[in-house]
């Protein structure tokens, strides 16, 4: 097979098992072995940097590159390659709309996330489903540019937010019954992959990607070796080059051994 120089990695149900709410240790060990052999490791996750950091991800795996918020930003330890921030005017109008209606929200920035707490029941419901490190309080927000605003609400205010999106060209994504995410554009993991290629001098045949869900399909299409976890969605399996075992059966480590990346 081609010489693999970089591995792009989804987080949830790929590295992190939600059944046990812990990292798959065999996968972590295999990735560290691959990194010791000189292979670059790049996280490519829908999660925010705040979330990944809060879960101890970077203490376990020595990542060389970071694609966060489903492709909203890409950077290395030394340099931000891009960040699709909301325009300040659009962000402020969204926040003003939510504040006037007493709606809680998360403000997602490149490295930190902040929460304006409102309805306790919705917040409790949201964080019971999404296993997330809690954001910093909005009182600590110092005006950083935002990648996204997550409105923690039911569907009753959708049309009002959609009107603001049309006005400012924002992307509206109702990703849960109790949450909407507004971004400057549709975020795609594939943009992060392409950006990393240009920055690191990589080719698709030198890259491998692991994932499990629909949002991983654009990432799979950007690499020669897209690997879907055995617990993944059927559509993701169909788009993958190879389907490995489930996360709880050490699928990531097994795939790395299958392709001769680790012993």
């Amino acid at each position: 097979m081609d010489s693999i120089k970089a591995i792009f990695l989804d987080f949830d149900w790929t590295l992190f098992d939600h059944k046990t709410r812990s990292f798959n240790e065999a996968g972590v060990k295999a990735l560290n072995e691959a990194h010791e052999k000189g292979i670059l490791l790049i996280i490519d996750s829908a999660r925010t940097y705040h979330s990944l950091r809060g879960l101890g991800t970077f203490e376990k795996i020595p990542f060389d590159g970071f694609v966060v918020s489903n492709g909203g930003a890409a950077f290395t330890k030394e340099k931000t390659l891009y960040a699709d921030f909301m325009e300040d005017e659009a962000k402020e109008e969204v926040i003003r709309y939510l504040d006037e209606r007493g709606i809680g929200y998360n403000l997602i920035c490149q490295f930190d996330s902040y929460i304006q707490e409102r309805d306790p029941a919705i917040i409790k419901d949201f964080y019971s489903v999404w296993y997330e490190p809690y954001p910093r309080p909005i009182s600590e927000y110092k005006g950083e540019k935002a990648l996204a605003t997550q409105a923690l609400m039911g569907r009753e205010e959708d049309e009002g937010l959609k009107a603001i999106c049309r006005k400012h060209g924002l992307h509206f994504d109702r990703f849960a019954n109790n949450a909407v995410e507004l971004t400057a554009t549709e975020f795609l993991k594939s943009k992060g992959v392409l950006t990393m290629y240009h920055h690191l001098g990589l080719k698709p045949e030198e890259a491998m990607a692991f994932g499990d869900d629909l949002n991983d399909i654009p990432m799979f299409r950007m690499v020669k070796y897209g690997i879907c976890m055995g617990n993944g969605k059927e559509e993701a399996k169909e788009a993958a080059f190879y389907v490995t075992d489930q996360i709880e059966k050490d699928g990531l480590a097994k795939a790395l051994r299958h392709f001769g990346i680790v012993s």
Side-chain angles (χ1 to χ4, degrees), residues 10 12 44-47 69-71 187-190 211-220 233 236:
D10 173 48
D12 295 288
D44 196 341
S45 173
R47 284 189 180 259
S69 296
N70 208 49
F187 290 169
L188 294 170
K189 291 185 175 186
S190 51
D212 73 296
D213 212 338
L214 302 183
N215 63 336
D216 294 311
I217 294 174
M219 177 173 67
F220 288 166
K233 298 282 180 62

Side-chain angles (χ1 to χ4, degrees), residues 202-261:
L202 296 170
K203 302 174 183 177
E205 59 268 25
E206 297 172 327
M208 176 178 283
F210 285 84
D212 73 296
D213 212 338
L214 302 183
N215 63 336
D216 294 311
I217 294 174
M219 177 173 67
F220 288 166
R221 290 174 176 160
M222 293 298 297
V223 303
K224 183 170 182 180
Y225 301 101
I227 315 299
C228 187
M229 304 297 291
N231 47 272
K233 298 282 180 62
E234 287 304 313
E235 297 93 330
K237 291 178 180 178
E238 292 172 5
F241 179 87
Y242 178 79
V243 178
T244 187
D245 215 332
Q246 299 170 358
I247 184 172
E248 65 267 29
K249 295 182 179 179
D250 302 335
L252 195 155
K254 287 179 179 177
L256 291 178
R257 288 197 293 271
H258 173 82
F259 285 98
I261 306 299

Side-chain angles (χ1 to χ4, degrees), residues 180-191:
V180 168
E181 184 166 85
L182 307 182
T183 55
T185 185
E186 182 180 8
F187 290 169
L188 294 170
K189 291 185 175 186
S190 51
K191 181 176 180 179

